[in-house]
Amino acid sequence: MTFQRARTEEQREIRRQAILDMASAMLDEMPVAAVTLNELSRRVELAKPNVLRYFESREAVLLELLDRFLQEWLTELASELAAGIDENWPMAERAAAVSEILSSSLSSRVVLCDLFGAQGSVLEHNVSVEVVARYKRASLDRLTTMTALLLKYLPELGENATLFSLQTMVMAGALSAYSTPPPSLQAAYQAEPDLARFHLELKDYLKLALTATLLGVLPRN
């Protein structure tokens, strides 16, 4: 794409969305750690200083994408929960279904999980107070949405629903790092199969972790 200088707010927004869309396309090809501002600038055909007119850093771009992907996931999650759970089921059946749906839904969204994993250690660094505060305010809204979804199908969670929602996203990010080993580690697993026990299948281990967490916070009766 070739851009002329943006002269109106509408044109500036078009530029911003083009940068975000290109970064999103790059994440389909490579992990978060491999996305650089230089490569993004090259692909979007803007000089790096011009990209920085719209986003103050690579991390600012990725934080905005994380919020976008999280909104999209929560919209789809609402449909998945509605299709997969009968609110009249016994609590144990609903809890099992919630764990299954969450683990399946998140494990199919590799990019979202990768961004979750990078959020605290990478993405929230090298950004201004304004940018990170704006992201955190949006995150509170997403957390509220997810909490309400879970309470609809597991009202027994009560005040633990918010914590469980947050833990779900944290676990998805942490476990995803172990489910996509780099080529050198894949070669080590092939050479020494015993080492492969460290390779976690995201869906299976996320389901196990979510189930264990639910067992810890749901009423025993």
Side-chain angles (χ1 to χ4, degrees):
M1 66 188 70
T2 301
F3 289 142
Q4 295 179 348
R5 183 173 181 177
R7 299 185 182 279
T8 66
E9 284 303 313
E10 181 180 5
Q11 290 173 335
R12 285 182 58 82
E13 184 58 25
I14 291 172
R15 305 297 190 272
R16 291 185 78 262
Q17 291 305 316
I19 293 167
L20 287 169
D21 290 344
M22 183 58 71
S24 176
M26 291 173 66
L27 287 170
D28 287 334
E29 303 174 17
M30 62 188 73
V32 169
V35 175
T36 66
L37 197 58
N38 285 335
E39 180 62 12
L40 175 60
S41 301
R42 187 188 70 79
R43 293 195 185 199
V44 83
E45 297 184 6
L46 280 174
K48 183 176 175 180
N50 289 335
V51 172
L52 292 172
R53 292 175 57 201
Y54 299 99
F55 295 94
E56 63 183 39
S57 64
R58 175 192 83 111
E59 289 76 14
V61 176
L62 295 175
L63 276 179
E64 190 154 336
L65 278 182
L66 173 52
D67 186 55
R68 175 200 285 187
F69 295 156
L70 182 53
Q71 287 185 75
E72 293 171 353
W73 174 60
L74 289 172
T75 298
E76 294 177 14
L77 179 63
S79 299
E80 292 166 355
L81 290 169
I85 301 177
D86 186 329
E87 295 175 48
N88 296 314
W89 287 349
M91 183 184 70
E93 291 184 30
R94 285 181 280 114
V98 165
S99 293
E100 173 66 33
I101 291 168
L102 285 174
S103 57
S104 178
S105 184
L106 281 167
S107 62
S108 69
R109 292 163 174 78
V110 176
V111 172
L112 176 60
C113 291
D114 193 15
L115 287 166
F116 280 152
Q119 177 180 330
S121 61
V122 177
L123 303 187
E124 292 176 354
H125 299 255
N126 195 32
V127 288
S128 64
V129 172
E130 178 186 358
V131 166
V132 78
R134 182 171 63 243
Y135 169 73
K136 286 300 189 182
R137 286 192 293 269
S139 295
L140 284 175
D141 290 340
R142 313 303 168 235
L143 188 61
T144 299
T145 298
M146 185 173 178
T147 299
L149 277 176
L150 292 175
L151 284 173
K152 180 178 180 180
Y153 297 99
L154 271 179
E156 295 88 350
L157 279 171
E159 62 183 13
N160 290 315
T162 298
L163 179 59
F164 178 72
S165 298
L166 183 58
Q167 287 177 322
T168 296
M169 292 183 276
V170 170
M171 286 188 290
L175 290 172
S176 70
Y178 291 91
S179 66
T180 52
S184 59
L185 192 51
Q186 292 181 32
Y189 289 159
Q190 291 176 356
E192 298 184 54
D194 285 347
L195 299 179
R197 70 185 64 188
F198 293 107
H199 181 204
L200 308 182
E201 292 295 338
L202 181 57
K203 181 179 184 299
D204 295 340
Y205 280 85
L206 187 54
K207 180 180 177 180
L208 181 63
L210 293 176
T211 301
T213 303
L214 280 176
L215 289 174
V217 298
L218 284 171
R220 297 294 191 272
N221 295 333

